[in-house]
Amino acid sequence: MADLTTDFLGISSPNPFWLASAPPTDKEYNVRRAFEAGWGGVVWKTLGAEGPPVVNVNGPRYGALYGADRRLLGLNNIELITDRPLEVNLEEIARVKSDYPDRAVIVSLMVPCEEAEWKAILPRVAETGADGIELNFGCPHGMSERGMGAAVGQVPEYIEMVTRWCKENYDRPVIVKLTPNITDIRYPARAAHNGGADAVSLINTISSITSVNLDNFSPEPSIDGKGSHGGYCGPAVKPIAMNMVAEIARDPETRGLPISGIGGVTTWRDAAEFMSLGAGNVQVCTAAMTYGFRIVQEMTAGLSQWMDEKGYTSVQDFVGRAVPNVTDWQYLNLNYVAKAKIDQEQCIKCGRCYAACEDTSHQAIWMKEGRVFEVNDAECVACNLCVDVCPVENCISMVEMAPGTVDPRTGRTVQDSYANWTTHPNNPGAQAAE
């Protein structure tokens, strides 16, 4: 049986699935229910400094983006950090960690960008016995307008400075949570690394407006006729999150920096993909808010079964396995040639492949008598659009052309698919890669 036990920064948890800092981790009651359901760890909802109380809106806090079947694709969230007293949160954290010593308990923090504020809160967090802290440098709404959250995460110098303060005044792991609302994620990651961060977590939510009410012309969620940008999360952000995780994992300046992957993790497969791109564990929010805490049981069962099938005994066996295969476009093998093939037995004759290719692509699919669809190899560039729009899984596939055959589209012979195109002398980018 696969062992899902995860050691992240020396913090052991029975599986790599942690709940992200968000409404599901806002109080002791929720976290206890989560642990009883099987979650490996939690990042407690972000705590702020003592002072003027945080006041959340008392109207809708979430907007939604749905698929055609009303499946939830993304949530827009305008909720702020915890509005519960700091002392109450700290007491609850201490009790939970004491009762669940085998689970990871991380405390998310966001205080003004002043050293004295951080020095004041860190010892109090340390007294709870929590396993570490996560610095919330990602929240894009509400708190960022007050000079915190993404306002810090968008300035590498601030990230490095605050991270260094925390490392100097806290003796347990410091995780820096990064904002995706930035041009190049490598720079804030490098800043966190330079400041001594033990790990980074990403992505935090994406600044967004999900919809507009066309009766009163207010962005949703609407508060008394007005709306605000919020943080976008859920399955729709997964591709953005995975790219950013991979960028940090393969950057020479941050290579080896532990990563906690966040962004649309809904299934065991999502988790495996994040981890193959370099994440040591994953954090989940929207899936738990959509389906409840017990979804973790499907995640752990699925991941365990897949690992057994692949012969992996530990999650470390596949962490980072995909990173060497992530490269820049200029290093892709231009000798590789494939063509689309349609399985006529599976085809339901809907014509979506034909319409998409004929109208918007390369006119490489013929429609013959009886609505039989065939690929014209002479025009097919293997763009994959037909595969993507086909409603029948595996009905259309891309088949590699064997070396030595003639590509009817170009009239050129297909060359060998080099084992290492990155360094092959025929690759114009090989020297640059070196």
Side-chain angles (χ1 to χ4, degrees):
M1 291 291 292
D3 182 6
L4 299 188
T5 302
T6 306
D7 186 308
F8 188 73
L9 308 179
I11 303 168
S12 180
S13 56
N15 61 64
F17 298 100
W18 292 5
L19 282 172
S21 170
T25 62
D26 190 32
K27 61 175 73 74
E28 180 178 2
Y29 176 83
N30 295 42
V31 174
R32 287 183 180 274
R33 285 181 59 83
F35 284 160
E36 291 303 314
W39 291 88
V42 301
V43 183
W44 206 275
K45 184 169 181 181
T46 305
L47 311 184
E50 285 190 314
V54 171
V55 180
N56 272 292
V57 296
N58 289 313
R61 298 182 183 183
Y62 308 116
L65 184 70
Y66 298 105
D69 59 355
R70 200 170 164 80
R71 183 170 67 92
L72 187 66
L73 299 180
L75 278 180
N76 174 288
N77 155 41
I78 62 169
E79 185 167 304
L80 303 181
I81 65 175
T82 184
D83 51 14
R84 304 166 66 240
L86 175 62
E87 190 60 41
V88 171
N89 275 296
L90 294 174
E91 291 172 358
E92 292 182 359
I93 291 167
R95 285 197 297 269
V96 168
K97 184 57 191 176
S98 176
D99 290 347
Y100 295 92
D102 65 325
R103 311 300 176 94
V105 177
I106 307 297
V107 179
S108 177
L109 295 175
M110 182 194 294
V111 300
C113 201
E114 299 173 9
E115 187 173 9
E117 296 276 10
W118 287 97
K119 283 185 174 181
I121 198 170
L122 291 172
R124 301 183 67 181
V125 173
E127 290 173 359
T128 67
D131 297 294
I133 57 174
E134 183 180 82
L135 311 185
N136 185 343
F137 294 157
C139 183
H141 59 274
M143 306 308 294
S144 56
E145 290 89 331
R146 309 178 196 188
M148 294 179 277
V152 177
Q154 291 167 338
V155 184
E157 293 80 4
Y158 291 173
I159 294 174
E160 181 175 347
M161 177 179 67
V162 178
T163 302
R164 185 168 286 113
W165 291 342
C166 292
K167 287 298 297 179
E168 290 172 351
N169 293 280
Y170 185 73
D171 63 358
R172 296 195 177 188
V174 175
I175 304 169
V176 174
K177 190 172 186 178
L178 302 178
T179 177
N181 301 297
I182 195 163
T183 305
D184 191 332
I185 196 65
R186 293 174 299 175
Y187 293 103
R190 290 170 185 172
H193 185 54
N194 293 338
D198 297 284
V200 291
S201 59
L202 69 154
I203 59 172
N204 208 311
T205 53
I206 300 171
S207 188
S208 63
I209 293 175
T210 51
S211 61
V212 174
N213 184 315
L214 293 180
D215 291 322
N216 66 6
F217 295 98
S218 169
E220 301 283 8
S222 179
I223 306 296
D224 195 25
K226 300 290 183 181
S228 174
H229 70 276
Y232 193 52
C233 58
V237 311
K238 176 190 165 190
I240 298 167
M242 290 204 302
N243 175 62
M244 291 188 171
V245 166
E247 286 296 284
I248 294 171
R250 71 189 187 100
D251 180 12
E253 295 190 36
T254 53
R255 190 173 296 143
L257 178 66
I259 301 170
S260 184
I262 313 170
V265 176
T266 307
T267 68
W268 69 265
R269 181 180 292 275
D270 297 330
E273 291 178 4
F274 267 96
M275 295 174 76
S276 75
L277 288 171
N281 68 6
V282 293
Q283 296 183 33
V284 180
C285 172
T286 307
M289 295 178 72
T290 306
Y291 303 108
F293 284 150
R294 292 190 180 277
I295 192 175
V296 73
Q297 296 169 13
E298 296 182 16
M299 294 176 173
T300 54
L303 184 62
S304 180
Q305 180 177 336
W306 173 75
M307 289 173 62
D308 286 342
E309 292 171 354
K310 293 292 185 180
Y312 299 134
T313 58
S314 164
V315 294
Q316 287 303 316
D317 292 344
F318 62 92
V319 168
R321 288 286 294 270
V323 175
N325 296 325
V326 182
T327 188
D328 295 332
W329 192 98
Q330 62 183 326
Y331 306 131
L332 297 177
N333 185 355
L334 300 185
N335 288 325
Y336 180 89
V337 179
K339 299 293 179 182
K341 298 297 179 185
I342 301 174
D343 185 338
Q344 297 299 335
E345 292 186 359
Q346 293 194 66
C347 180
I348 61 174
K349 305 182 186 300
C350 67
R352 287 174 62 176
C353 61
Y354 170 77
C357 189
E358 187 71 15
D359 289 351
T360 70
S361 196
H362 295 273
Q363 297 77 52
I365 295 179
W366 288 316
M367 181 170 64
K368 296 189 173 182
E369 186 177 351
R371 291 184 66 82
V372 174
F373 301 95
E374 292 184 357
V375 176
N376 176 8
D377 285 350
E379 298 297 334
C380 179
V381 300
C383 70
N384 213 55
L385 179 61
C386 57
V387 175
D388 292 335
V389 301
C390 179
V392 180
E393 188 174 6
N394 299 323
C395 177
I396 307 178
S397 57
M398 290 295 158
V399 179
E400 180 182 1
M401 293 182 68
T405 59
V406 176
D407 181 351
R409 192 180 72 86
T410 63
R412 295 196 298 268
T413 300
V414 176
Q415 300 179 38
D416 287 330
S417 182
Y418 300 119
N420 191 352
W421 173 249
T422 302
T423 57
H424 196 278
N426 286 0
N427 175 5
Q431 279 191 320
E434 294 174 359

